[in-house]
Amino acid sequence: MSRKKPTRNPFYFFMLEKIPELRRQGFEVKGLKDAAPLCSSAWTSLTALEKEKFAKMAHEWKAEKDDKTFNDPSNRQLQNPIFSVIAKGTNNPPMSWSSDEGVCGEVFHFVSFLSLADLPPNSEQRFLPCEMACVKYSLKNGIISEFHYFIDPGIIPCGFRYHCQVSSDATHKIPLSNFELASSSYSEIFQQFCAFLRQERSCGFPPVYCKLAECFRVNWCLNWLARKAGRSTPVNVFELEELIEKLYEHKLKEKPSKASVERMLDVMIWDYAANTRCRWHDEHDIVYCALATTKKYAYCISDSLASIYKFEVTSAHVPKKELTYGTKLNPKVLVLDNYYQQAKPRNNLRQYIHSPVESTASNISGDKSCVSASSLRDYPIAAQFGRGRGALAAWLNFPSRSPPGFQHIHKLKNQSPTKLAMLGNE
């Protein structure tokens, strides 16, 4: 285990100056560790003016080190390219769309990686990639094609196996070892991924997009895969939220807020939709899937931008709505709040930036006379009643639906919130 280098603060340079004097006085001082307790009392007795000399030495050393690191070409190549995505003043690649047809015809690539676990930042191997997925998508054609692989992450670093097992059990549940679907042919995976990205009549590679929170992991895993294949990655990872902002800005001439875009992408109604997860996760009924993540990006964009760009929504854009998927309502876990009132839209973008759950739930709780039961049954249970506050009112007023085993819930309308909460915990 490598020794931790001492921090070169003013006290560091003070000890360097005192070590020869201590040795002349007969002290056995082999290094800074032996000198620290002998110099501490002398350091505290110095005045601020006397300490300024050593503070200046520490500042000059730090400035010289930072300048060498920045100008060293070898260090530049080792810098993680993801910092160019999140660095201040650096944006996504410029988009030059001359018309709405150009926007709808543009092909975008959404990518996602899953790891057995996120290892500490000081670890040499930051992630253990176990699954990757990428989809081609356009507003006009929806999801065009998909790319999916399970990857052999290699040997788990010593001391992290339990951490990886706990992380896997809580999310994707991919086995840590002896997984028959995992491939260790890194060169073949990387070549097929590059072939999937390469566009016709183009010599370069298009950018790939993912959520900002996943950018670092995706970029690290791409570089790791390229090194395993003996190649350098030609792919640049960019922020999906910023791409969506540009799509809105092109048509509406104003940007939505980051928070509204994040809410738009954070939905659950397609977690159990048909043909969304990979075959292995679908058979084991597991929500966390890299392929599902990329497809849900496409679903959210299609659902939100269809009314703006006026393109036809097909099964390639959004899966067919069924009652067989979605989060089922459980009255015992509802948040009861009689004082909840729906917030009014703040700007014109509010009618376009929405999640399917919010829009459907607001329609039910808003104007019940104009909503037909047949149209509501096209949505999953979670989409009909939403989540959190106001969901109980939507359930009680839902037309022609009485849940078996909960007929007595209609008697709870006039009860106080405290009593309802007590009944819900029974």
Side-chain angles (χ1 to χ4, degrees):
M1 185 174 181
S2 61
R3 294 182 179 178
K4 185 178 179 181
K5 294 183 179 179
T7 305
R8 299 198 177 184
N9 52 18
F11 183 60
Y12 171 89
F13 291 95
F14 176 75
M15 287 190 294
L16 289 182
E17 188 177 278
K18 283 291 182 180
I19 285 177
E21 182 180 345
L22 292 173
R23 288 173 178 171
R24 286 195 299 268
Q25 294 175 2
F27 292 100
E28 186 178 353
V29 181
K30 297 181 180 179
L32 296 173
K33 184 177 180 180
D34 298 329
L38 299 173
C39 297
S40 58
S41 59
W43 173 256
T44 55
S45 63
L46 294 179
T47 63
L49 186 62
E50 292 173 332
K51 291 182 179 180
E52 186 178 352
K53 167 189 171 182
F54 303 102
K56 185 177 180 182
M57 295 169 65
H59 178 74
E60 290 176 353
W61 176 85
K62 186 177 184 301
E64 183 181 356
K65 179 185 176 184
D66 293 344
D67 185 62
K68 285 183 178 179
T69 304
F70 181 78
N71 292 322
D72 190 356
S74 60
N75 287 339
R76 280 188 177 184
Q77 294 177 1
L78 294 176
Q79 288 177 355
N80 201 323
I82 193 59
F83 290 116
S84 63
V85 178
I86 61 177
K88 184 177 180 181
T90 305
N91 299 318
N92 278 14
M95 300 293 183
S96 56
W97 296 310
S98 57
S99 62
D100 292 351
E101 288 76 13
V103 178
C104 295
E106 181 85 15
V107 177
F108 304 103
H109 296 79
F110 306 141
V111 67
S112 178
F113 273 86
L114 291 183
S115 172
L116 291 181
D118 296 353
L119 303 186
N122 57 352
S123 300
E124 183 178 352
Q125 188 165 354
R126 189 70 174 80
F127 301 97
L128 296 166
C130 57
E131 184 185 13
M132 70 173 297
C134 183
V135 296
K136 282 185 180 180
Y137 169 81
S138 70
L139 296 180
K140 180 180 179 181
N141 300 316
I143 296 177
I144 302 170
S145 56
E146 60 189 53
F147 175 87
H148 177 262
Y149 257 101
F150 286 105
I151 305 173
D152 183 3
I155 300 175
I156 299 175
C158 183
F160 289 101
R161 188 172 185 85
Y162 175 77
H163 175 63
C164 293
Q165 187 65 61
V166 171
S167 176
S168 176
D169 292 342
T171 53
H172 48 70
K173 303 188 187 307
I174 295 176
L176 271 60
S177 58
N178 300 325
F179 185 36
E180 63 278 4
L181 299 179
S183 173
S184 58
S185 302
Y186 306 112
S187 180
E188 179 183 352
I189 297 174
F190 188 76
Q191 290 178 4
Q192 292 188 17
F193 178 66
C194 292
F196 177 81
L197 291 180
R198 193 183 298 275
Q199 298 177 344
E200 297 180 1
R201 303 176 184 178
S202 176
C203 57
F205 289 89
V208 297
Y209 297 91
C210 66
K211 291 174 67 174
L212 180 61
E214 302 179 6
C215 277
F216 180 77
R217 179 173 71 245
V218 169
N219 192 82
W220 192 97
C221 293
L222 283 175
N223 289 330
W224 174 86
L225 183 61
R227 289 195 302 270
K228 286 286 189 179
R231 303 274 297 278
S232 60
T233 176
V235 183
N236 294 319
V237 183
F238 294 100
E239 180 186 344
L240 179 61
E241 289 91 336
E242 188 174 341
L243 171 65
I244 297 174
E245 288 178 8
K246 290 184 177 181
L247 292 173
Y248 274 99
E249 186 180 19
H250 174 79
K251 186 68 175 178
L252 302 179
K253 307 305 179 186
E254 58 178 322
K255 282 186 177 182
S257 65
K258 282 274 187 183
S260 60
V261 176
E262 291 172 357
R263 286 197 302 269
M264 185 193 79
L265 294 173
D266 187 21
V267 296
M268 300 189 300
I269 64 171
W270 292 301
D271 284 354
Y272 296 94
N275 196 30
T276 297
R277 297 170 289 179
C278 70
R279 183 176 179 180
W280 187 84
H281 281 112
D282 196 39
E283 290 177 350
H284 292 78
D285 197 24
I286 302 170
V287 175
Y288 292 91
C289 173
L291 184 60
T293 300
T294 56
K295 286 188 174 183
K296 285 190 287 185
Y297 291 160
Y299 298 161
C300 293
I301 294 175
S302 299
D303 185 74
S304 297
L305 295 179
S307 59
I308 300 178
Y309 285 95
K310 308 299 181 183
F311 57 84
E312 182 183 358
V313 178
T314 64
S315 58
H317 293 85
V318 177
K320 183 180 178 182
K321 301 180 180 69
E322 301 173 353
L323 283 174
T324 57
Y325 67 88
T327 305
K328 294 185 179 181
L329 184 68
N330 184 356
K332 290 189 176 182
V333 297
L334 293 176
V335 179
L336 307 178
D337 186 357
N338 291 337
Y339 303 100
Y340 173 70
Q341 292 183 357
Q342 203 168 24
K344 296 181 180 180
R346 296 183 178 179
N347 50 47
N348 294 333
L349 285 174
R350 179 65 180 174
Q351 59 182 317
Y352 300 109
I353 303 289
H354 65 278
S355 67
V357 172
E358 294 174 352
S359 61
T360 312
S362 63
N363 290 338
I364 297 174
S365 59
D367 187 359
K368 307 174 189 60
S369 60
C370 63
V371 181
S372 63
S374 60
S375 63
L376 290 174
R377 291 192 183 97
D378 292 337
Y379 290 87
I381 297 294
Q384 295 172 18
F385 302 106
R387 293 175 291 176
R389 299 177 295 180
L392 180 60
W395 177 272
L396 295 176
N397 293 288
F398 186 66
S400 303
R401 185 183 292 275
S402 180
F406 293 103
Q407 288 83 357
H408 65 282
I409 197 170
H410 294 275
K411 300 179 181 179
L412 303 179
K413 285 185 177 181
N414 298 324
Q415 299 291 343
S416 63
T418 305
K419 189 170 183 179
L420 287 175
M422 293 174 62
L423 289 174
N425 293 326
E426 292 181 357

mmCIF file of all heavy atoms in Angstrom, residues 88-110:
data_model
loop_
_atom_site.group_PDB
_atom_site.id
_atom_site.type_symbol
_atom_site.label_atom_id
_atom_site.label_comp_id
_atom_site.label_asym_id
_atom_site.label_seq_id
_atom_site.Cartn_x
_atom_site.Cartn_y
_atom_site.Cartn_z
ATOM 1 N N LYS A 88 -17.731 24.743 -16.923
ATOM 2 C CA LYS A 88 -18.418 26.004 -17.136
ATOM 3 C C LYS A 88 -18.017 26.600 -18.476
ATOM 4 O O LYS A 88 -16.844 26.687 -18.818
ATOM 5 C CB LYS A 88 -18.066 26.977 -16.002
ATOM 6 C CG LYS A 88 -18.814 28.287 -16.084
ATOM 7 C CD LYS A 88 -18.467 29.162 -14.908
ATOM 8 C CE LYS A 88 -19.214 30.485 -14.983
ATOM 9 N NZ LYS A 88 -18.868 31.372 -13.855
ATOM 10 N N GLY A 89 -18.992 27.009 -19.249
ATOM 11 C CA GLY A 89 -18.741 27.647 -20.531
ATOM 12 C C GLY A 89 -18.677 26.695 -21.695
ATOM 13 O O GLY A 89 -18.480 27.114 -22.820
ATOM 14 N N THR A 90 -18.798 25.371 -21.467
ATOM 15 C CA THR A 90 -18.765 24.379 -22.532
ATOM 16 C C THR A 90 -20.155 23.802 -22.717
ATOM 17 O O THR A 90 -20.746 23.320 -21.779
ATOM 18 C CB THR A 90 -17.771 23.254 -22.187
ATOM 19 O OG1 THR A 90 -16.501 23.837 -21.908
ATOM 20 C CG2 THR A 90 -17.648 22.284 -23.337
ATOM 21 N N ASN A 91 -20.653 23.848 -23.941
ATOM 22 C CA ASN A 91 -22.013 23.412 -24.220
ATOM 23 C C ASN A 91 -22.011 22.206 -25.143
ATOM 24 O O ASN A 91 -20.955 21.768 -25.644
ATOM 25 C CB ASN A 91 -22.818 24.553 -24.858
ATOM 26 C CG ASN A 91 -22.927 25.755 -23.941
ATOM 27 O OD1 ASN A 91 -23.135 25.614 -22.747
ATOM 28 N ND2 ASN A 91 -22.756 26.941 -24.501
ATOM 29 N N ASN A 92 -23.202 21.686 -25.402
ATOM 30 C CA ASN A 92 -23.358 20.604 -26.354
ATOM 31 C C ASN A 92 -22.956 21.066 -27.742
ATOM 32 O O ASN A 92 -22.860 22.262 -28.004
ATOM 33 C CB ASN A 92 -24.821 20.148 -26.357
ATOM 34 C CG ASN A 92 -25.116 19.199 -25.217
ATOM 35 O OD1 ASN A 92 -24.331 19.068 -24.279
ATOM 36 N ND2 ASN A 92 -26.245 18.540 -25.278
ATOM 37 N N PRO A 93 -22.700 20.142 -28.673
ATOM 38 C CA PRO A 93 -22.321 20.549 -30.031
ATOM 39 C C PRO A 93 -23.402 21.426 -30.650
ATOM 40 O O PRO A 93 -24.597 21.232 -30.409
ATOM 41 C CB PRO A 93 -22.196 19.210 -30.772
ATOM 42 C CG PRO A 93 -22.947 18.227 -29.948
ATOM 43 C CD PRO A 93 -22.816 18.692 -28.537
ATOM 44 N N PRO A 94 -23.018 22.434 -31.448
ATOM 45 C CA PRO A 94 -24.009 23.345 -32.030
ATOM 46 C C PRO A 94 -24.955 22.617 -32.971
ATOM 47 O O PRO A 94 -24.545 21.762 -33.758
ATOM 48 C CB PRO A 94 -23.147 24.372 -32.781
ATOM 49 C CG PRO A 94 -21.839 23.673 -33.016
ATOM 50 C CD PRO A 94 -21.639 22.745 -31.864
ATOM 51 N N MET A 95 -26.220 22.929 -32.871
ATOM 52 C CA MET A 95 -27.243 22.334 -33.718
ATOM 53 C C MET A 95 -27.703 23.371 -34.742
ATOM 54 O O MET A 95 -28.128 24.466 -34.370
ATOM 55 C CB MET A 95 -28.442 21.869 -32.874
ATOM 56 C CG MET A 95 -28.080 20.834 -31.824
ATOM 57 S SD MET A 95 -27.573 19.260 -32.548
ATOM 58 C CE MET A 95 -27.315 18.282 -31.069
ATOM 59 N N SER A 96 -27.611 23.033 -36.008
ATOM 60 C CA SER A 96 -28.038 23.952 -37.072
ATOM 61 C C SER A 96 -29.201 23.325 -37.820
ATOM 62 O O SER A 96 -29.023 22.564 -38.770
ATOM 63 C CB SER A 96 -26.869 24.232 -38.030
ATOM 64 O OG SER A 96 -26.357 23.025 -38.556
ATOM 65 N N TRP A 97 -30.400 23.595 -37.341
ATOM 66 C CA TRP A 97 -31.603 23.080 -37.982
ATOM 67 C C TRP A 97 -32.251 24.218 -38.747
ATOM 68 O O TRP A 97 -32.607 25.258 -38.178
ATOM 69 C CB TRP A 97 -32.578 22.536 -36.940
ATOM 70 C CG TRP A 97 -32.043 21.367 -36.185
ATOM 71 C CD1 TRP A 97 -31.477 20.245 -36.709
ATOM 72 C CD2 TRP A 97 -32.018 21.191 -34.764
ATOM 73 N NE1 TRP A 97 -31.100 19.384 -35.712
ATOM 74 C CE2 TRP A 97 -31.426 19.940 -34.505
ATOM 75 C CE3 TRP A 97 -32.439 21.971 -33.694
ATOM 76 C CZ2 TRP A 97 -31.246 19.455 -33.224
ATOM 77 C CZ3 TRP A 97 -32.257 21.483 -32.409
ATOM 78 C CH2 TRP A 97 -31.666 20.233 -32.180
ATOM 79 N N SER A 98 -32.421 24.034 -40.037
ATOM 80 C CA SER A 98 -33.016 25.078 -40.865
ATOM 81 C C SER A 98 -34.538 25.052 -40.823
ATOM 82 O O SER A 98 -35.182 26.059 -41.099
ATOM 83 C CB SER A 98 -32.538 24.926 -42.319
ATOM 84 O OG SER A 98 -32.860 23.628 -42.814
ATOM 85 N N SER A 99 -35.113 23.912 -40.461
ATOM 86 C CA SER A 99 -36.576 23.787 -40.461
ATOM 87 C C SER A 99 -36.990 22.714 -39.463
ATOM 88 O O SER A 99 -36.157 21.978 -38.927
ATOM 89 C CB SER A 99 -37.087 23.438 -41.859
ATOM 90 O OG SER A 99 -36.567 22.182 -42.279
ATOM 91 N N ASP A 100 -38.303 22.624 -39.256
ATOM 92 C CA ASP A 100 -38.820 21.576 -38.362
ATOM 93 C C ASP A 100 -38.591 20.192 -38.947
ATOM 94 O O ASP A 100 -38.409 19.221 -38.206
ATOM 95 C CB ASP A 100 -40.321 21.797 -38.127
ATOM 96 C CG ASP A 100 -40.581 23.064 -37.322
ATOM 97 O OD1 ASP A 100 -39.605 23.647 -36.816
ATOM 98 O OD2 ASP A 100 -41.759 23.472 -37.213
ATOM 99 N N GLU A 101 -38.608 20.082 -40.266
ATOM 100 C CA GLU A 101 -38.346 18.779 -40.895
ATOM 101 C C GLU A 101 -36.933 18.299 -40.596
ATOM 102 O O GLU A 101 -36.691 17.107 -40.416
ATOM 103 C CB GLU A 101 -38.563 18.869 -42.409
ATOM 104 C CG GLU A 101 -40.013 18.993 -42.847
ATOM 105 C CD GLU A 101 -40.567 20.399 -42.612
ATOM 106 O OE1 GLU A 101 -39.761 21.331 -42.334
ATOM 107 O OE2 GLU A 101 -41.800 20.567 -42.714
ATOM 108 N N GLY A 102 -35.997 19.256 -40.536
ATOM 109 C CA GLY A 102 -34.633 18.878 -40.194
ATOM 110 C C GLY A 102 -34.512 18.381 -38.775
ATOM 111 O O GLY A 102 -33.742 17.457 -38.492
ATOM 112 N N VAL A 103 -35.274 18.980 -37.866
ATOM 113 C CA VAL A 103 -35.266 18.525 -36.476
ATOM 114 C C VAL A 103 -35.847 17.124 -36.383
ATOM 115 O O VAL A 103 -35.284 16.240 -35.716
ATOM 116 C CB VAL A 103 -36.056 19.498 -35.581
ATOM 117 C CG1 VAL A 103 -36.083 18.999 -34.147
ATOM 118 C CG2 VAL A 103 -35.457 20.889 -35.644
ATOM 119 N N CYS A 104 -36.975 16.906 -37.030
ATOM 120 C CA CYS A 104 -37.635 15.594 -36.952
ATOM 121 C C CYS A 104 -36.815 14.505 -37.621
ATOM 122 O O CYS A 104 -36.903 13.335 -37.240
ATOM 123 C CB CYS A 104 -39.022 15.674 -37.580
ATOM 124 S SG CYS A 104 -40.171 16.752 -36.692
ATOM 125 N N GLY A 105 -36.021 14.864 -38.621
ATOM 126 C CA GLY A 105 -35.206 13.868 -39.312
ATOM 127 C C GLY A 105 -33.866 13.609 -38.676
ATOM 128 O O GLY A 105 -33.175 12.646 -39.040
ATOM 129 N N GLU A 106 -33.450 14.444 -37.715
ATOM 130 C CA GLU A 106 -32.156 14.268 -37.040
ATOM 131 C C GLU A 106 -32.160 12.982 -36.209
ATOM 132 O O GLU A 106 -33.115 12.684 -35.490
ATOM 133 C CB GLU A 106 -31.895 15.465 -36.133
ATOM 134 C CG GLU A 106 -30.579 15.403 -35.399
ATOM 135 C CD GLU A 106 -29.420 15.945 -36.210
ATOM 136 O OE1 GLU A 106 -29.671 16.624 -37.225
ATOM 137 O OE2 GLU A 106 -28.274 15.701 -35.832
ATOM 138 N N VAL A 107 -31.074 12.216 -36.326
ATOM 139 C CA VAL A 107 -30.939 10.958 -35.589
ATOM 140 C C VAL A 107 -30.088 11.205 -34.349
ATOM 141 O O VAL A 107 -28.973 11.731 -34.440
ATOM 142 C CB VAL A 107 -30.299 9.859 -36.458
ATOM 143 C CG1 VAL A 107 -30.098 8.578 -35.645
ATOM 144 C CG2 VAL A 107 -31.179 9.580 -37.676
ATOM 145 N N PHE A 108 -30.615 10.827 -33.189
ATOM 146 C CA PHE A 108 -29.922 10.979 -31.919
ATOM 147 C C PHE A 108 -29.611 9.591 -31.347
ATOM 148 O O PHE A 108 -30.334 8.626 -31.622
ATOM 149 C CB PHE A 108 -30.769 11.768 -30.919
ATOM 150 C CG PHE A 108 -31.205 13.116 -31.423
ATOM 151 C CD1 PHE A 108 -32.498 13.321 -31.870
ATOM 152 C CD2 PHE A 108 -30.315 14.169 -31.453
ATOM 153 C CE1 PHE A 108 -32.913 14.546 -32.337
ATOM 154 C CE2 PHE A 108 -30.710 15.415 -31.920
ATOM 155 C CZ PHE A 108 -32.007 15.606 -32.362
ATOM 156 N N HIS A 109 -28.554 9.530 -30.549
ATOM 157 C CA HIS A 109 -28.137 8.274 -29.931
ATOM 158 C C HIS A 109 -28.136 8.443 -28.415
ATOM 159 O O HIS A 109 -27.454 9.329 -27.886
ATOM 160 C CB HIS A 109 -26.737 7.867 -30.405
ATOM 161 C CG HIS A 109 -26.666 7.564 -31.874
ATOM 162 N ND1 HIS A 109 -26.599 8.559 -32.830
ATOM 163 C CD2 HIS A 109 -26.651 6.382 -32.547
ATOM 164 C CE1 HIS A 109 -26.539 8.009 -34.029
ATOM 165 N NE2 HIS A 109 -26.568 6.686 -33.892
ATOM 166 N N PHE A 110 -28.901 7.603 -27.735
ATOM 167 C CA PHE A 110 -28.975 7.620 -26.279
ATOM 168 C C PHE A 110 -28.258 6.380 -25.749
ATOM 169 O O PHE A 110 -28.502 5.265 -26.234
ATOM 170 C CB PHE A 110 -30.422 7.625 -25.798
ATOM 171 C CG PHE A 110 -31.250 8.726 -26.395
ATOM 172 C CD1 PHE A 110 -32.574 8.502 -26.770
ATOM 173 C CD2 PHE A 110 -30.715 9.986 -26.612
ATOM 174 C CE1 PHE A 110 -33.334 9.511 -27.328
ATOM 175 C CE2 PHE A 110 -31.455 11.004 -27.163
ATOM 176 C CZ PHE A 110 -32.776 10.764 -27.521
#
